[in-house]
Each structure stands twice: as C-alpha cells, then as structure tokens.
C-alpha cells in the first residue's frame, strides 16, 4: 500500500533535464517517488525521495505547465515524463494529474514521451489517438517470470498486461 501526500509544486516545471542523455529536453515528474518499489531503482538514493511506501503528488502541475507555456516565446518540441517516477503508477490520483498535464501539453502542440511499468487508464487512449505522432511511449519489461517480476518490481503492472498494452 502506497501513501500519497499531496503538495503544491513551487519550482518551474518545464526545465531542462539533469540527465545528459536527454539533452535540453524538459522533463516532468508528477510525483516525488513512484510507489512501484522496484529494487533496482536509482531514484531511491535521491535526497528528495520520500521513502518506501510514500509518494508526493504535485497536483498543481497541470496549472503550472499551462502558465509556463503561456509565458514562453516558443514551446518545447517534446517533454519527457517520469525520469524519477512513473506517471502511470497504480493510483488514480496520480493518473488524473498525469492526464491533465499531458492534455495541456498536447493541446499546445508539445509532444510527450514516457517510460512506464504501469498501466494507463483507458481514457488515455482517446487523448493519445487525438494527437497522432505526438505521443512516444515506452513500456519497460525486465522479465516474464512471475516470481522474478514480483521480486524485482513488486507493485508494477504485470508484464503480461504491459505486453497487451504494447501490442
């Protein structure tokens, strides 16, 4: 069971990535932590990580993104989701904020890219279909073995369900 703590984010949202492989692409983490509890997750060592079984949900991100886009001369070409979290975690609350944020970006002509070990609620299907060529999804799978999956990624969506989404 994951405890979700709601907070208001105060810092800018559309800032450059701290990961060199993403270059200048802005990244968004809807949450601090993700609650998936993957044993190999590097973000658990970050000072900002809220701790096991806890997730901080920044529920004002859609409004911040809307304001930031309105104040820019040009929009970024693409925004990458979830370098240190998962926008499609098992919580409806997290997916609500992810949906609203992604919708704002797509409606402003900004492409979105994400990696998930979760399952996107079916309402994302219509949103993504309305913006062909603007959604770049990657679905992470480490194993199809049930015992190994449970040991490595205890609260992620099953690999079989993720494969069903990917096909």
């Amino acid at each position: 069971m994951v405890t979700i703590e709601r907070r208001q984010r105060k810092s800018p949202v559309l800032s450059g990535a701290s990961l060199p492989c993403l270059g200048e692409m802005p990244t968004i983490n809807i949450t601090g932590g993700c609650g998936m509890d993957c044993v190999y997750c590097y973000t658990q060592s970050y000072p900002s990580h809220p701790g096991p079984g806890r997730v901080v949900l920044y529920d004002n991100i859609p409004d911040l993104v809307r304001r930031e886009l309105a104040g820019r001369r040009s929009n970024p070409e693409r925004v990458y989701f979830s370098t240190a979290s998962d926008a499609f975690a098992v919580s409806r609350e997290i997916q609500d904020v992810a949906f609203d944020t992604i919708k704002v970006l797509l409606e402003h002509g900004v492409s979105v890219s994400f990696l998930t070990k979760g399952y996107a609620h079916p309402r994302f299907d219509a949103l993504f279909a309305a913006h062909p060529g603007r959604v770049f999804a990657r679905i992470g799978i480490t194993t199809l073995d049930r015992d190994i999956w449970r040991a490595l990624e205890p609260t992620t969506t099953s690999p079989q369900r993720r494969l069903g989404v990917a096909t």
Side-chain angles (χ1 to χ4, degrees), residues 148-159:
I148 296 171
W149 159 58
R150 280 292 183 212
L152 294 178
E153 306 167 344
T155 59
T156 62
T157 300
S158 76

Side-chain angles (χ1 to χ4, degrees), residues 2-161:
V2 174
T3 302
I4 296 176
E5 177 184 328
R6 290 179 167 269
R7 286 192 197 159
Q8 298 289 294
R9 182 168 167 157
K10 294 175 177 42
S11 59
V13 178
L14 297 174
S15 54
S18 61
L19 298 172
C21 61
L22 293 175
E24 297 295 316
M25 184 186 307
T27 61
I28 295 177
N29 285 295
I30 299 296
T31 63
C34 79
M36 297 280 203
D37 296 327
C38 299
V39 298
Y40 52 80
C41 182
Y42 62 91
T43 67
Q44 294 176 28
S45 66
Y46 288 2
S48 61
H49 190 271
R54 291 185 54 225
V55 172
V56 175
L57 174 60
Y58 301 107
D59 54 10
N60 65 330
I61 287 182
D63 293 331
L64 292 175
V65 169
R66 191 177 288 108
R67 273 186 254 148
E68 287 180 37
L69 290 173
R72 296 172 78 107
R73 283 187 217 180
S74 64
N75 290 338
E77 182 179 327
R78 185 180 302 177
V79 171
Y80 187 84
F81 275 78
S82 310
T83 57
S85 64
D86 195 315
F88 301 98
V90 295
S91 164
R92 178 67 186 245
E93 295 170 276
I94 293 169
Q95 288 206 25
D96 286 347
V97 174
F99 182 89
D100 293 344
T101 305
I102 291 170
K103 184 176 180 190
V104 168
L105 289 164
L106 291 172
E107 288 176 348
H108 281 83
V110 179
S111 296
V112 296
S113 180
F114 60 85
L115 169 66
T116 187
K117 290 186 176 90
Y119 173 76
H121 187 275
R123 70 188 170 138
F124 282 91
D125 294 345
L127 176 63
F128 294 164
H131 300 276
R134 294 217 172 268
V135 179
F136 301 87
R138 285 175 312 289
I139 299 168
I141 297 178
T142 55
T143 183
L144 296 177
D145 182 281
R146 181 173 176 76
D147 294 332
I148 296 171
W149 159 58
R150 280 292 183 212
L152 294 178
E153 306 167 344
T155 59
T156 62
T157 300
S158 76
Q160 288 75 15
R161 189 166 188 193

